[in-house]
Amino acid sequence: MLRIAVPNKGSLSGPAAEMLHEAGYQQRRESKELRIVDPENEVEFFYLRPRDIAIYVSSGRLDIGITGRDLLIDSGANAEEILPLGFARSTFRYATKPGTAKGVRDLNGMTVATSYEGIVAKHLADHGIDASVVHLDGAVETAIELGVAEVIADVVETGTSLRNAGLEVIGEPIMKSEAVVIRRTGADGEEPKVQQFLRRLQGVLVARTYVMMDYDCRVEQLEKAVALTPGLESPTVSPLHNEGWVAVRAMVPAKEAQRIMDDLYDIGARAILTTAIHACRL
């Protein structure tokens, strides 16, 4: 069986379980379950701490896992990202008191407090910066006030908590993270079960991103209509019973669907419908 590590809690857990369910895999019914077997799909799921998943996968005891890009890099594990999943996005930034520094180049000789020591140490080293890194578990904003560090590095969303602590974001982002599928570095990337798993998740990603659009239009307007809805390869075009009319079907980006419907209507298309895509293979 394919052995897969899944986050057991936190912001990664719920969306990961939902995506796996949409991909046709059985998921646990109770949060206390640490392992389940999906015999129909020949998969065994292990529910682990998100921070530990990269370590288990790098050991080779588990084939693949779902974790955060930040946690993968921070772990230093011998594992690599093979598919971004588009949820649990976050941005890592430096922050400090106004006037202390403007960017990473100004951090020489300073101390940086963070919950992600591996990420920050690598970022500083990549920029040739000689700075100390102090590891703290959460609430790093207080590190500067208490004199533990001059700078912090943390996840920044709106920046409200930093401003409330009298801090400002400096420099460019350290990194941008999201949920990713990982495997051990150098593992067989063509293993059929792994490829099937990835295709299923890619199908979910596409289904979430696109909708199916159907509409009728006059033949003389077909080229303009097709330019608006080119589909992935090309749209399906079928003649209607009424001469001079055709029915068109194509996948379109969900976030652009309303605009496309307006544009189609303006060129004379009618009976314009969109339907959700629940699964696909490209």
Side-chain angles (χ1 to χ4, degrees), residues 73-87:
I73 295 174
D74 194 59
S75 72
N78 187 34
E80 61 185 359
E81 173 184 335
I82 55 175
L83 180 67
L85 297 178
F87 63 84

Side-chain angles (χ1 to χ4, degrees), residues 190-229:
E190 300 303 318
E191 205 282 321
K193 290 181 180 178
V194 173
Q195 287 302 308
Q196 182 188 67
F197 179 78
L198 295 178
R199 281 195 301 272
R200 287 197 181 191
L201 294 190
Q202 287 167 334
V204 172
L205 291 172
V206 172
R208 290 177 172 183
T209 306
Y210 288 84
V211 294
M212 189 66 71
M213 185 169 288
D214 294 90
Y215 58 90
D216 302 337
C217 75
R218 296 284 305 176
V219 172
E220 55 267 26
Q221 298 298 327
L222 180 58
E223 289 306 314
K224 291 182 180 179
V226 168
L228 293 170
T229 59

Side-chain angles (χ1 to χ4, degrees), residues 15-27 45 201 204 208:
E18 183 180 354
M19 178 170 279
L20 291 169
H21 176 73
E22 290 181 38
Y25 293 104
Q26 178 182 333
Q27 288 297 286
F45 291 104
L201 294 190
V204 172
R208 290 177 172 183

